[in-house]
Amino acid sequence: MEKVIDFTKNPVTEIYGMHCFSDAIMRERLPKNYYRVLKDVQAGKAELTAEVADVVAMAMKDWAIEKGATHFTHWFQPLTGLTAEKHDSFISPTKDGRVIMEFSGKELIKGEPDASSFPSGGLRSTFEARGYTAWDVTSPAFLKEDTTGVTLYIPTAFISFTGEALDKKVPLLRSMEAVSRQALRVLKKLGNETATHVFATVGPEQEYFLVDREYFDRRMDLMLAGRTLFGSAPAKGQELEDQYFGTIKDRAAAFMRELNYELWKLGVSAKTQHNEVAPNQFEIAPIFDVANVAADRNQLVMETMQKVAGRHQLAALLHEKPFAGVNGSGKHNNWSLATDDGINLLEPGASPHENAQFLLFLCAVLKAVDVYAGLLRVSTANTGNDHRLGANEAPPAVISVFLGEQLEEILSCLTAGKPVKNAQGQKLELGVNALPKLPKDLTDRNRTSPFAFTGNKFEFRMVSSAQSIAEPITMLNAVVAETLSEIADQLEKSKDLNKTISDIVCSTYQKHKRVIFNGNNYAPDWPAEAEKRGLPNLPSCVEALPELLKKENVALLEKHKVYSHVELESRYEVALERYSKDINIEAQLMISMTSRDILPAAVDYARELSLTIAEMKKAAAKSSTAGLESVLASIAEAVDQLLSCKASLEKELAAAPKAGDAAAQAKAFREKVVPAMVCLREPADALERLVSKKHWPWPTYEDLLFRL
Ligand code: ADP
Ligand code: MG
């Protein structure tokens, strides 16, 4: 291991944020009046002028150069789901053959990367070909470290010249504005005169697997597809429940320590870590941030994790389902709304007044999740998550809300006009002026719900481990903006505020209680019950994607200026194409791994067996070779099946349309190619159980899941 971190020599309080152009650094380095203007710009209260941009750019450059930077980059999030960057140096040659180091306000606020090779779903052909990146003033710039130095990274949004979003950040920022606008309308009616902005706050819990790098490098499927395409189930899986919160192995602990170290330097508040349910599965969670910052930082967590894993001769797997038969990985998005004067709007309050507020925002979420379940579902739809949602070890593809019995009881009593009692059995008065002091701890825990209330926030658990959190949070903000706007409409028209609030709470509960489910979402009878309740179940990505273009969904997203119709069409195209490409890669890989690795291994071992049988017969004519012959026969049979399944997969792959209608193509991959892949895996895994380990071409599930 190259790096030993000694926190006694590098106290956390000193290293924390050393690579982040944080608020503290800006306050220290910017002239006071410019710092104040910049704060106003961040708060949306002032425009960014060229002069301010120049001053900030200069301070940023000086800081970066002092830390050893020679280059800067605009850092953005195209529709690949990853981040993108193009580096420029600060150098500016002088006439006499020297250089000075320069960085202007113009370079800080706008970049023009050649964007023609990013997925755009036809957007750029319809419109102007070029795109530009624009500085996201609200997300701190940072220094990324490699083995020889650092580079200045500036978080940006990526936009076409005609204003269409080409990335994941622009819609997120728009959705944050939308939900803020509507939340403020509601707050105003509740008498809040001080809040000027409402922020969506997000704390993403990131799950991942660690495997030994040597094993990873020997598995082409892990390297190219991020998941095992073959692999016989190990004798031991997660059934002993001995991994979750178990003792963290030394090697994982060392990795985590260095990961935290790197993240803390970046100002990413890595806070909790533990063993997850599956063997060699782990979780890391930061302290929550404002949504766009949380999204940027989650990308950094994912990137840093992979980098640090490499230093420990490990590979960090972010795929949603790297291994069949054990838990997949998700990314629980803890989400809430907070005012700029510090109130968490999903916090049950101490006073009746705060409780009216809490109940209204709770109702807004409840309604949004019920009415726009499709949009939330599609925001988590991708090839990897198809293996997770609705499978055995993951939340189902049906969206329901967990409120906990206590909270549901309160809503149900309010609605029925029945007295509400607290945990001590005391009757609580109703009406807004005398709304009950809600019990402080309203949380029972439910680990199976895709959307759970956890005391003062919701936890959206359907989100997949590898995806950017921008999309799910964008949709969540957007749908809640809509229901808040409906509530605001009612409050603004109201003649009797208290009565209107009561009416809203009661009618919301009555109309949308079907989406509340406090039971076990993994139970086999839940999907049937959900169907009876009329809740949508969109089991796969291909089935979920059309939600993006449903009339009512487009109308909502356009109304709140989160996505335009063309942007949605382009995203629909990009997602479908991506799905087909992903499956195509996996299918090709399975074919090549079958021909080049599995078949030769089976053939070698079969030959060894045949020779042994022949030699045994020759050496002692009476020796029984029946057992070995039956093993040989089983291998021959599995090989036959393997070859026939491989032929079917090749046939389906050849038949799948390669261009043209993206929906038809994705449908063919989903309905024809995927089943053929499942079919091929069976004889391959059977062979793994028959062929000697010495002959098997790659590390098995036992190696991958238990050796660390
Ligand atoms: P658990 O495993 O019990 O769900 P964790 O501590 O792993 O809890 O994760 C909880 C996450 O929720 C953390 O990232 C935390 O910062 C975040 N969180 C707490 N309060 C809020 C809030 N008001 N808004 C958004 N996220 C929050
Ligand atoms: Mg959690």
Side-chain angles (χ1 to χ4, degrees):
M1 224 161 297
E2 293 114 63
K3 216 158 187 175
V4 180
I5 302 150
D6 185 347
F7 284 109
T8 60
K9 295 205 183 83
N10 303 295
V12 180
T13 45
E14 272 165 40
I15 57 155
Y16 192 86
M18 65 188 270
H19 285 167
C20 176
F21 197 65
S22 61
D23 194 47
I25 305 240
M26 286 196 285
R27 198 170 47 224
E28 196 179 289
R29 291 188 167 247
L30 290 175
K32 247 199 196 108
N33 48 336
Y34 285 95
Y35 171 74
R36 241 180 274 121
V37 179
L38 187 67
K39 293 304 285 177
D40 282 346
V41 173
Q42 286 177 333
K45 291 174 192 157
E47 288 282 320
L48 181 69
T49 61
E51 190 194 340
V52 176
D54 273 332
V55 172
V56 178
M58 173 98 82
M60 220 185 245
K61 178 202 70 180
D62 290 345
W63 171 75
I65 287 176
E66 278 167 34
K67 303 262 184 187
T70 54
H71 285 68
F72 71 93
T73 179
H74 275 202
W75 185 63
F76 57 104
Q77 303 176 17
L79 300 186
T80 55
L82 304 170
T83 58
E85 52 195 70
K86 177 189 163 231
H87 298 201
D88 277 291
S89 74
F90 294 118
I91 68 162
S92 167
T94 57
K95 282 202 183 107
D96 59 354
R98 296 164 186 260
V99 291
I100 50 168
M101 300 295 258
E102 273 186 346
F103 184 49
S104 67
K106 237 165 92 192
E107 288 171 298
L108 167 63
I109 57 183
K110 190 169 172 187
E112 291 184 25
D114 176 7
S116 52
S117 296
F118 292 111
S120 79
L123 245 188
R124 268 189 321 271
S125 51
T126 330
F127 294 91
E128 172 63 50
R130 286 181 310 159
Y132 68 94
T133 49
W135 179 32
D136 175 3
V137 225
T138 55
S139 184
F142 55 92
L143 299 172
K144 220 168 158 183
E145 206 175 2
D146 52 53
T147 47
T148 57
V150 295
T151 302
L152 173 64
Y153 278 66
I154 299 158
T156 60
F158 184 34
I159 311 155
S160 81
F161 267 87
T162 41
E164 277 78 26
L166 296 174
D167 71 351
K168 308 216 172 204
K169 177 171 265 199
V170 174
L172 175 61
L173 292 170
R174 293 178 185 155
S175 75
M176 289 165 68
E177 276 311 306
V179 77
S180 175
R181 228 174 2 247
Q182 303 307 332
L184 284 174
R185 284 177 62 202
V186 173
L187 288 177
K188 194 152 187 206
K189 277 288 144 197
L190 294 178
N192 182 326
E193 301 288 342
T194 49
T196 62
H197 207 92
V198 170
F199 294 101
T201 53
V202 178
E205 300 165 46
Q206 175 76 51
E207 295 179 337
Y208 62 97
F209 281 84
L210 287 177
V211 299
D212 192 293
R213 186 81 207 183
E214 188 203 318
Y215 296 144
F216 175 87
D217 286 341
R218 281 164 55 201
R219 296 225 32 158
M220 206 44 89
D221 49 0
L222 279 182
M223 281 170 70
L224 298 190
R227 75 177 180 104
T228 53
L229 297 169
F230 298 106
S232 175
K236 177 179 189 269
Q238 62 190 41
E239 66 274 38
L240 297 184
E241 297 169 334
D242 52 355
Q243 158 82 2
Y244 188 59
F245 284 0
T247 313
I248 301 176
K249 290 179 192 162
D250 273 8
R251 210 170 158 199
F255 157 82
M256 289 174 177
R257 184 161 294 108
E258 185 159 346
L259 176 60
N260 289 330
Y261 174 70
E262 294 299 339
L263 291 173
W264 288 339
K265 280 198 285 188
L266 287 163
V268 177
S269 58
K271 174 78 173 163
T272 62
Q273 59 198 27
H274 59 80
N275 281 4
E276 258 301 330
V277 171
N280 282 355
Q281 191 187 27
F282 307 92
E283 181 186 292
I284 180 171
I287 295 169
F288 70 93
D289 265 310
V290 171
N292 62 320
V293 177
D296 283 355
R297 291 187 161 167
N298 180 249
Q299 292 286 358
L300 280 179
V301 168
M302 291 194 286
E303 290 175 24
T304 310
M305 190 179 270
Q306 282 163 313
K307 195 156 83 177
V308 173
R311 292 187 203 146
H312 290 252
Q313 287 76 51
L314 292 167
L317 308 181
L318 289 166
H319 193 282
E320 291 72 19
K321 194 79 177 176
F323 306 101
V326 296
N327 271 21
S329 297
K331 181 144 50 193
H332 297 173
N333 272 234
N334 295 271
W335 172 94
S336 189
L337 293 172
T339 64
D340 57 351
D341 52 1
I343 306 164
N344 177 356
L345 297 171
L346 288 172
E347 175 89 50
S351 71
H353 177 80
E354 284 166 358
N355 285 329
Q357 179 179 289
F358 166 69
L359 289 173
L360 280 179
F361 281 90
L362 184 78
C363 283
V365 178
L366 200 60
K367 179 175 182 186
V369 177
D370 185 26
V371 179
Y372 299 104
L375 276 180
L376 293 177
R377 169 67 184 93
V378 72
S379 74
T380 66
N382 54 55
T383 324
N385 228 8
D386 274 6
H387 297 283
R388 190 175 154 257
L389 299 183
N392 290 329
E393 309 89 6
V398 181
I399 300 203
S400 65
V401 178
F402 168 83
L403 283 187
E405 271 159 28
Q406 232 183 334
L407 191 51
E408 189 173 9
E409 171 78 7
I410 291 171
L411 287 177
S412 124
C413 287
L414 280 173
T415 306
K418 279 200 268 178
V420 181
K421 291 187 181 150
N422 68 12
Q424 288 76 44
Q426 295 159 314
K427 195 177 145 204
L428 302 166
E429 290 296 318
L430 298 185
V432 174
N433 288 333
L435 253 179
K437 179 173 168 22
L438 294 174
K440 195 71 190 149
D441 190 14
L442 286 170
T443 45
D444 322 339
R445 283 291 173 149
N446 177 320
R447 291 175 38 85
T448 65
S449 173
F451 203 94
F453 181 69
T454 51
N456 58 4
K457 61 188 187 304
F458 276 96
E459 193 170 324
F460 188 16
R461 300 211 183 102
M462 227 178 214
V463 181
S464 76
S465 49
Q467 80 174 121
S468 158
I469 61 170
E471 266 157 355
I473 298 303
T474 300
M475 288 305 184
L476 185 51
N477 289 342
V479 296
V480 173
E482 172 57 22
T483 50
L484 284 174
S485 83
E486 290 158 11
I487 289 175
D489 288 345
Q490 279 172 278
L491 296 179
E492 283 165 6
K493 273 191 276 183
S494 162
K495 301 242 157 48
D496 179 348
L497 204 59
N498 289 353
K499 184 168 179 308
T500 308
I501 293 172
S502 285
D503 287 351
I504 292 172
V505 173
C506 296
S507 73
T508 306
Y509 176 69
Q510 220 148 28
K511 280 194 208 134
H512 304 290
K513 66 174 178 222
R514 65 170 189 163
V515 80
I516 302 173
F517 182 57
N518 294 328
N520 177 8
N521 283 254
Y522 296 5
D525 47 354
W526 166 234
E529 159 74 15
E531 195 180 337
K532 254 192 256 157
R533 296 186 185 192
L535 302 178
N537 185 357
L538 300 163
S540 88
C541 172
V542 177
E543 279 132 346
L545 282 169
E547 291 293 318
L548 282 179
L549 297 183
K550 268 196 179 158
K551 230 165 126 191
E552 59 275 25
N553 291 341
V554 174
L556 174 147
L557 293 165
E558 286 209 307
K559 173 179 164 194
H560 293 281
K561 301 191 169 50
V562 174
Y563 288 106
S564 69
H565 196 175
V566 267
E567 286 170 350
L568 286 168
E569 275 175 338
S570 93
R571 270 149 220 260
Y572 172 70
E573 289 280 309
V574 169
L576 283 170
E577 279 169 14
R578 177 60 190 262
Y579 177 83
S580 301
K581 286 177 188 169
D582 284 342
I583 301 293
N584 187 47
I585 290 170
E586 290 189 348
Q588 305 265 21
L589 252 173
M590 286 186 88
I591 292 167
S592 84
M593 288 170 81
T594 300
S595 311
R596 304 199 325 208
D597 300 311
I598 299 177
L599 185 63
V603 168
D604 278 356
Y605 186 54
R607 185 186 333 99
E608 208 172 293
L609 276 177
S610 318
L611 291 175
T612 308
I613 292 166
E615 279 172 15
M616 279 168 74
K617 282 188 171 153
K618 214 159 73 187
K622 274 195 213 140
S623 64
S624 165
T625 53
L628 291 183
E629 279 170 46
S630 97
V631 175
L632 192 57
S634 302
I635 293 177
E637 198 183 312
V639 165
D640 276 349
Q641 212 193 329
L642 183 82
L643 291 175
S644 113
C645 289
K646 181 174 89 88
S648 315
L649 178 55
E650 283 164 334
K651 195 179 116 236
E652 295 301 351
L653 202 53
K658 293 291 171 300
D661 183 353
Q665 194 187 0
K667 192 166 180 286
F669 274 99
R670 157 96 179 136
E671 287 171 9
K672 304 283 188 204
V673 178
V674 169
M677 287 164 64
V678 173
C679 167
L680 176 56
R681 181 165 178 160
E682 251 174 65
D685 290 357
L687 280 168
E688 187 185 323
R689 290 186 291 271
L690 287 165
V691 171
S692 87
K693 186 150 185 197
K694 198 177 80 195
H695 287 80
W696 202 246
W698 46 65
T700 62
Y701 268 33
E702 282 90 349
D703 299 322
L704 295 166
L705 286 170
F706 292 96
R707 293 196 195 214
L708 203 68

